[in-house]
Amino acid sequence: MCWTAKSFVRWLSSSVKYYPKDNHLQALCLCTKTKLNKCHILDWSRSPCNSAVPPGRILSWRLFSCKEGTKDLCKREKIASVTASELLYKDLLKSEQENWNKISRSYKAMTKRIKEKIEELHNKYTLHLESPRIRFGGNVYFEENGYILCSKADDDKGNVHILFSTEDMGFSGAYIKRIRISPDERYLATSLQSENSEEATCVIMKLGDVPFVEEVIPNVFSFEWATNDVLYYTSQKNLKCQNVFMTTFTNEKYTKLVYTEQDARFFVDIYRTKDRRFLTINSNSKTTSEVWLIDCRHPFKLPVLVQARTKGVIYHVEHRNNELYILTSYGEPAEYKLMKASVASTGMENWQLVYALEEKTKLIDLEMFRDHCIMFLQKAGYLYLNVIAFVSHSVQSIQLPTWACAFELESHPEHASSTCYFQLTSPVHPPRRFAYSFKENNLIEQAAEEVPIIMNCHTTRLLAKSKDETLVPITVFHNVNSKELHRKPLLVHVYGAYGIDLNMSFKEEKLMLIEEGWILAYCHVRGGGELGLRWHKDGCQHNKLKGLHDLKACIMLLHELGFSQPKYTALTAASAGGVLAGAICNSDPELIRAVVLQAPFVDVLNTMMKTHLPLSIEEQEEWGNPLADEECMKYIKNYCPYHNIKPQCYPSVFITAYENDQRVPLTGILRYVQKLRKATLDHASRTRKKGNWIPNIILDIQASGSHCDSSWEDSLNEKATAPGCRKVCRSPMPRN
């Protein structure tokens, strides 16, 4: 089978017909030539019956759920129930894996061709990109292929010194996540993480002619050097960071607990200000912040509180000239603004406004320099650079190239640097390097000559009117040579949660789709962060349905304007984006033909009811607390993808899930798949119409990889199997 412009939708939506004269429902399968197997179905009454079924087995979720037994059961019955649930879960997992192995064999040739194409694009556009460099004094530190290397800043001969090797140090298979150098460059701290876990190990190296491992600390999330031989770090357990420790590398080594967060909704991390004067202990929930300062000149003194947490107020701290520069949502409007206060008087009553953002402007990032502050902003879909000069008290605004949709600041620029380096990109434009010079007061592109410029892609920005007449942004990409766009396949992207923007960075598979004639649409619905903090607030908790209305309005506008049509439209989402994707499959299945989901959050109510799960309490500010609020329970039940499945004609669904996913429980995805398959079969049996189509409901469970990270090889295999969107999570962000 050739990879044509429409083969992806056809592949996902290939179905088998239901003929009522037959004695059983024909099983759906990816390749219709696959023979069907007879197996036992445990129906909702728990009575077994013989029937042909879709891939996997339809088991009542009650039989493999993690719910605890009722209180009136004796201990022996509870143990037996748990054991039975585990056995049924393992049986179902094995069945799904066997089914996927059977299906995937039929598409090996096509997958191979797609994989080769993605690799070709990777080698052409992104392989040349250098790893992030950390300049420290006269040395430059960087990571490549599991090695941490060091070179002289003025060395143009390519001489490097190997400081650390994951394989040589016994960490084969792990990847380097973070690097921190002590002020005197005698120590290096790095965190290593495996593909199957989000918990990292911190390795401290003593540098010198022959570097060696000084200490290994397990389960570490963030860490920073306070002085030459004092390291602060946070410990991570079950996706939570609530403890801060200090460890010393002096003659008398010791470690002690410095801070403990008591509120389970809050996540703690460590940050060092750009001028290296303070470490900040940042305790953040989804809506509220609290920051404590550690003076690096006196690292053994107790942390000092900046401002006690105030519900609904977020703030982050930088330092310059004995003043704190505070990025905060405090005041009206409740959007980010830059304020300042003296280090001696840090309370909120002393905060003075430095700069306020315009309405519907998103602050993407902020970087402090000695005499300047750079803000990366987004407004009406376009990126801007605002440069605040502290000496002249002036602000300069620069619009970045219109094709740019995302940026990445280069790692750890020197505080006294006269230049800020960053990269611009879009889903179909490879990263291009830019530099802003404070001295010259201008923006310079530093493009590598060997990187071709993408010229065949057109970018369009639209506004869709939602149910309540709110205008929702859409970013559309298509090939400039494409004609009859209403006949072209369309891939719609959505997320809409946690105030996180859709991932708009470059992906080789997106460029491949453009070259094959696809249209790509990114729907920036409420619940995400594209239009600021208010945009997120308008799409969380009791406003979640607004995100669903936004998505529907976006898809309908695209079709009305001639961008494809329902039978050629696929929808893709990852993690919490699965809530809206699954919801629209229930409410408006006629708008789309196929859905691609990666580690989707589709069982909101059951998950939020289980407070023993790592993120359920932390995420109550996003979804609500159904255990304490009956109205909240009813509201979640009204849109939860799992709870609203009903017998009807659904689009085909392809799901990638991870066996070791700590953020989205696999049991919820298995329940969803089983219930969805049963609903499609029930619909076909009830309509009794000759020629009815049964959609494909396919689940690929990855044994390796985790919710947030996977190796390049695993990622490549996923992309080749079902091109979809990948969400890079950054804790404390939850599902993605």
Side-chain angles (χ1 to χ4, degrees), residues 510-633:
K510 307 302 182 185
L511 183 56
M512 179 191 70
L513 293 177
I514 290 293
E515 292 181 353
E516 294 289 344
W518 280 72
I519 304 165
L520 306 180
Y522 291 75
C523 303
H524 309 291
V525 303
R526 281 174 285 187
E530 287 87 347
L531 271 68
L533 297 176
R534 183 71 190 180
W535 196 248
H536 168 229
K537 189 175 181 180
D538 283 349
C540 68
Q541 291 194 357
H542 61 279
N543 289 321
K544 270 295 171 187
L545 281 172
K546 291 182 180 179
L548 176 60
H549 300 153
D550 292 352
L551 177 58
K552 178 180 179 180
C554 289
I555 297 175
M556 291 180 66
L557 177 66
L558 289 166
H559 292 159
E560 289 170 9
L561 295 178
F563 292 105
S564 194
Q565 49 189 298
K567 65 180 179 180
Y568 300 139
T569 297
L571 174 65
T572 183
S575 193
V579 174
L580 296 183
I584 202 167
C585 287
N586 292 328
S587 64
D588 300 276
E590 71 283 354
L591 291 178
I592 45 182
R593 183 67 181 269
V595 179
V596 181
L597 302 174
Q598 183 185 23
F601 187 34
V602 287
D603 193 3
V604 184
L605 186 57
N606 282 328
T607 301
M608 295 305 296
M609 295 280 282
K610 298 174 182 177
T611 55
H612 66 278
L613 294 176
L615 299 174
S616 294
I617 295 177
E618 180 182 326
E619 297 196 356
Q620 288 172 358
E621 292 176 315
E622 178 71 24
W623 309 100
N625 184 358
L627 288 174
D629 186 344
E630 187 175 349
E631 289 302 314
C632 175
M633 180 186 291

Side-chain angles (χ1 to χ4, degrees), residues 8 25 166 206 209 240-241 246 269 271 300 323-324 352 421-422 432 458 531 536 570 597 611 628 647 669 697 716 718:
F8 177 58
L25 288 174
T166 54
K206 180 74 175 289
D209 294 335
K240 295 181 181 294
C241 281
M246 177 190 71
D269 68 2
Y271 172 77
F300 301 108
E323 288 184 314
L324 296 183
Q352 302 172 21
Y421 297 96
F422 58 94
R432 302 186 72 82
H458 182 71
L531 271 68
H536 168 229
L597 302 174
T611 55
I669 296 176
I697 313 296
L716 179 60
E718 289 178 30

Side-chain angles (χ1 to χ4, degrees), residues 18 25 679-689 692 694:
Y18 166 69
L25 288 174
T680 59
L681 294 176
D682 287 350
H683 173 70
S685 64
R686 291 178 186 180
T687 54
R688 298 283 178 177
K689 183 179 179 182
N692 270 358
I694 304 174

Side-chain angles (χ1 to χ4, degrees), residues 21-40:
K21 64 180 181 181
D22 293 345
N23 293 327
H24 63 273
L25 288 174
Q26 300 242 0
L28 76 92
C29 53
L30 188 57
C31 178
T32 54
K33 295 180 181 178
T34 303
K35 293 182 179 180
L36 304 175
N37 293 325
K38 292 279 185 175
C39 70
H40 289 286

Side-chain angles (χ1 to χ4, degrees), residues 678-723:
K678 185 176 187 301
T680 59
L681 294 176
D682 287 350
H683 173 70
S685 64
R686 291 178 186 180
T687 54
R688 298 283 178 177
K689 183 179 179 182
K690 186 175 180 179
N692 270 358
W693 293 93
I694 304 174
N696 283 317
I697 313 296
I698 301 167
L699 176 60
D700 173 21
I701 301 172
Q702 299 280 329
S704 61
S706 64
H707 189 84
C708 295
D709 303 285
S710 61
S711 67
W712 160 248
E713 290 76 14
D714 289 338
S715 177
L716 179 60
N717 289 330
E718 289 178 30
K719 294 171 183 176
T721 303

Side-chain angles (χ1 to χ4, degrees), residues 113-127 508 511 515 712 716:
R113 283 192 290 271
I114 298 172
K115 185 176 179 179
E116 289 173 350
K117 179 63 177 177
I118 294 175
E119 285 180 320
E120 176 189 331
L121 292 172
H122 175 74
N123 294 336
K124 183 177 181 180
Y125 291 108
T126 59
L127 187 61
E508 293 88 348
L511 183 56
E515 292 181 353
W712 160 248
L716 179 60

Side-chain angles (χ1 to χ4, degrees), residues 171 173-177 191-201 220-221 236 662 706 708-709:
F171 295 96
Y175 65 91
I176 296 169
K177 185 177 180 182
S191 56
L192 306 173
Q193 187 172 328
S194 71
E195 297 173 18
N196 300 325
S197 174
E198 292 189 41
E199 295 175 351
T201 297
V220 172
F221 177 73
Q236 182 175 8
Q662 294 175 275
S706 64
C708 295
D709 303 285

